[in-house]
Amino acid sequence: PGILVALDEINSNPYVLPGYTLHYTLNDNECERYVSHRALFKQLRDDRTKIAAVGSGCTLATEPAAEASHFWNISQISCHSSSPLLRDRRRFARYFQTIGSEENQGFADFGVIKFYGWKKVTILQLDVDSFENVTLELANLLRSEGVTVSIKTFEEKDGIAGLQDPFDDDTTIYAFIMYAHFGRELLCMAYEKNLMYPRSTFLHPAWWVGEWWKGGENLACSDEERERVVENSIAVLLYEYIEDDSAVAETGTNGTTFGENFNEYFEGNEAVLGNETNDFGQNCYDGMWILALALNKTMNDLNDPEFNANASAEASINRTFGLEDITYESEVVLK
């Protein structure tokens, strides 16, 4: 809903992109690399030129799209992906994000563990590059403080079946570095071993939003049983929480007014949006506004005769160049 709230505000603001209306096309990439590629190329084949891409919601799907989209001069912004690998400007030349690097998750987990003085930790990690970087950072920090660290990994194709024995008899603190659906499966395994608090405590990323332990198919335990395990677990934010939200942004709103607008929009559109939202919808709001303000600046730049003449020459048109004239070859404008 963050995208929809932003579009409503942008398209009703007379000072942002006057004379133009922003639209979006939704594609579900299912957090899969090949689906993300297919969705991108489907849009590129469409008769309507796409001037930017928003997404994806997970790194596995963001990487292939961001690796290819810049060859069509498309800028891409994600409101959820946070892999440090996405900082490679050679591979992801026009990629941006509205959330901090996932590397901060390791620092955040370390801060919690150090605060409580825990001396033995097991890290359970999905074996993908972005999570590996987090694990290495966390393990190095913990070992520098004399904490005993055990690292257990599994590959996505194997699922948690690749973890022969994830839970040690003499470990009580577990850090989950993986996607939430794997976390749900691990909670069932923990339930079977009666690893409820205070016998065990689990740290998981705060981007596992809402009641993440609920739902899923073919799981070995119920929502209620998983809830018993996850009680008193710790959701760890990978960036500092800002309490003062009084500053007014270029959008004309501050944190409080945005929250009110966001909730009002969500409550009025449950039939379309479903019955659950999350904080990353707010980051998508920021992403849409960033794109709109960038386009608005480009529109203002086109008022400069020399800049407009260069854009027109590149497009081989004998008239004033406007945003509607943008194509995938419009490097002068889209850069």
Side-chain angles (χ1 to χ4, degrees):
I3 290 176
L4 301 179
V5 174
L7 286 175
D8 277 358
E9 293 181 0
I10 292 164
N11 290 331
S12 62
N13 191 318
Y15 303 104
V16 179
L17 298 174
Y20 294 95
T21 301
L22 277 186
H23 298 275
Y24 83 107
T25 302
L26 180 64
N27 295 271
D28 182 5
N29 55 42
E30 303 174 21
C31 197
E32 295 280 356
R33 294 185 62 87
Y34 79 94
V35 180
S36 180
H37 264 143
R38 184 177 64 191
L40 173 65
F41 294 128
K42 176 183 177 181
Q43 292 304 315
L44 292 173
R45 292 195 303 269
D46 190 87
D47 292 337
R48 297 165 296 180
T49 299
K50 305 303 186 298
I51 55 177
V54 179
S56 167
C58 69
T59 297
L60 287 175
T62 297
E63 284 184 7
E67 202 168 27
S69 58
H70 65 92
F71 290 111
W72 282 265
N73 291 313
I74 293 175
S75 293
Q76 181 171 335
I77 187 165
S78 174
C79 50
H80 198 164
S81 298
S82 55
S83 168
L85 299 176
L86 292 166
R87 292 188 303 221
D88 187 341
R89 303 312 289 178
R90 293 173 301 173
R91 291 178 60 193
F92 311 107
R94 294 179 184 266
Y95 171 79
F96 307 91
Q97 61 193 45
T98 59
I99 186 173
S101 171
E102 201 166 81
E103 282 183 327
N104 295 336
Q105 188 70 52
F107 289 103
D109 284 353
F110 168 71
V112 172
I113 293 167
K114 183 178 180 180
F115 176 82
Y116 286 106
W118 294 323
K119 292 301 181 183
K120 185 170 185 179
V121 175
T122 294
I123 300 172
L124 303 176
Q125 176 223 315
L126 173 63
D127 190 11
V128 296
D129 290 341
S130 57
F131 290 144
E132 181 181 3
N133 291 335
V134 176
T135 294
L136 291 176
E137 186 66 49
L138 174 58
N140 289 336
L141 288 169
L142 291 174
R143 287 166 178 156
S144 71
E145 294 289 327
V147 178
T148 300
V149 181
S150 174
I151 301 172
K152 300 183 179 182
T153 65
F154 63 97
E155 295 187 11
E156 188 166 20
K157 63 181 178 64
D158 298 326
I160 63 168
L163 288 169
Q164 296 299 321
D165 188 15
F167 302 113
D168 301 314
D169 292 336
D170 58 347
T171 300
T172 58
I173 309 302
Y174 297 90
F176 288 178
I177 301 178
M178 62 190 73
Y179 295 118
H181 62 282
F182 291 119
R184 286 193 286 270
E185 294 183 63
L186 281 169
L187 290 185
C188 287
M189 295 179 67
Y191 181 79
E192 291 178 4
K193 299 192 70 171
N194 198 34
L195 296 180
M196 270 73 79
Y197 180 85
R199 185 177 175 189
S200 295
T201 297
F202 303 95
L203 277 64
H204 65 82
W207 49 263
W208 291 9
V209 294
E211 296 179 324
W212 61 268
W213 59 89
K214 292 185 176 181
E217 299 179 356
N218 302 318
L219 295 176
C221 64
S222 66
D223 289 351
E224 292 74 18
E225 290 168 335
R226 289 194 297 277
E227 187 167 357
R228 288 182 60 191
V229 178
V230 82
E231 187 176 8
N232 293 307
S233 67
I234 300 175
V236 184
L237 281 169
L238 55 80
Y239 47 84
E240 183 179 359
Y241 182 77
I242 300 175
E243 294 185 2
D244 182 10
D245 60 1
S246 60
V248 178
E250 289 187 59
T251 63
T253 61
N254 59 26
T256 299
T257 54
F258 163 75
E260 293 171 352
N261 294 342
F262 184 85
N263 291 332
E264 181 181 350
Y265 190 96
F266 182 80
E267 291 170 2
N269 292 275
E270 291 94 336
V272 176
L273 303 174
N275 57 9
E276 184 174 341
T277 185
N278 63 65
D279 291 339
F280 291 100
Q282 302 177 23
N283 293 334
C284 292
Y285 170 91
D286 293 338
M288 285 303 303
W289 264 105
I290 289 169
L291 290 174
L293 292 173
L295 277 172
N296 198 64
K297 185 180 185 306
T298 299
M299 185 179 70
N300 292 333
D301 289 342
L302 287 170
N303 291 328
D304 178 83
E306 182 178 354
F307 182 82
N308 199 293
N310 290 335
S312 296
E314 181 184 57
S316 299
I317 58 176
N318 297 316
R319 56 176 172 77
T320 300
F321 190 99
L323 292 180
E324 66 276 9
D325 296 312
I326 290 176
T327 69
Y328 297 128
E329 287 76 39
S330 300
E331 292 193 28
V332 170
V333 175
L334 293 176
K335 70 179 181 180

